[in-house]
Amino acid sequence: MNIGKLIVFSAPSGSGKTTLVRHLLKQSLPLGFSISATSRRPRGKEKNGVDYHFLTPKNFEKKIQQGEFLEFEEVYQNLFYGTLFSELNRIWSEGHHILFDIDVKGGLNIKKKYPLNTLSIFVQPPSIEILKERLQNRATENNNKIKERIKKAQMEMNFASEFDFILINDDLKKAKKEVVQIVRNFLES
Ligand code: ADP
Ligand code: 5GP
């Protein structure tokens, strides 16, 4: 199998990764989204095999033991997320390059494993205050969960400089335009 390129989006929760990744997937670019596995429950309209592979904690653990993950992290207490090797195989065998929406540690791990083929992008919110507002407006987590995510965000911002590119997501229209340009340039390089 030919190894294609990997494009990693990492950022504190609420920065706008999902919004930007969805925008990229609508362009006519040869990209496929890596559907992560998670031990968290689906929320809202999320579908198994589309947004995530939703696994029970026991099944997630089994896949760890069987070496099925390229990387995995306990992103929040008792909530595991990871990238399955089967996703890389699926997307590359379709002749596409891979888009990842994963946490900061996972993103840097992928860059370490495929240094020449990976573009790592850190999506930065204009400020922690604005991040908090976005999470509150998104209204997918309760106040305690939002607090946990904000606390983690403060730590994650310290890793921004380790990424190939820092994309400040302030004006969404501008950020969308910028992200398409960065990815096009990388795919053509
Ligand atoms: P993430 O995937 O990083 O957790 P989302 O893409 O879900 O973030 O974005 C978090 C919330 O902020 C969503 O409700 C989204 O619509 C909104 N959002 C994203 N980018 C912007 C922006 N530039 N300005 C205002 N709101 C934004
Ligand atoms: P959420 O619960 O909001 O969908 O995601 C929580 C966090 O887990 C986000 O920061 C997201 O990027 C991260 N995440 C999603 N999939 C993976 C993965 O496969 N590996 C790692 N390390 N983090 C992931």
Side-chain angles (χ1 to χ4, degrees), residues 110-129:
I110 289 183
K111 177 78 187 180
K112 254 186 228 147
K113 289 183 183 171
Y114 295 97
L116 301 178
N117 292 34
T118 303
L119 172 72
S120 60
I121 301 173
F122 187 89
V123 182
Q124 190 165 298
S127 68
I128 291 281
E129 266 316 300

Side-chain angles (χ1 to χ4, degrees), residues 70-88:
L70 166 67
E71 63 77 36
F72 68 89
E73 297 288 333
E74 185 176 2
V75 177
Y76 301 106
Q77 207 180 9
N78 284 323
L79 292 183
F80 287 82
Y81 296 77
T83 305
L84 294 160
F85 282 111
S86 57
E87 282 296 299
L88 308 191

Side-chain angles (χ1 to χ4, degrees), residues 75-108:
V75 177
Y76 301 106
Q77 207 180 9
N78 284 323
L79 292 183
F80 287 82
Y81 296 77
T83 305
L84 294 160
F85 282 111
S86 57
E87 282 296 299
L88 308 191
N89 294 340
R90 175 179 69 79
I91 297 166
W92 282 336
S93 67
E94 288 168 355
H96 291 154
H97 304 291
I98 311 180
L99 277 188
F100 297 87
D101 170 347
I102 71 177
D103 89 323
V104 168
K105 275 193 198 159
L108 292 173

Side-chain angles (χ1 to χ4, degrees), residues 165-178:
F165 205 95
I166 299 176
L167 179 72
I168 298 176
N169 179 19
D170 187 357
D171 175 349
L172 185 56
K173 211 168 147 196
K174 194 165 151 243
K176 280 180 173 173
K177 224 170 162 179
E178 210 175 337

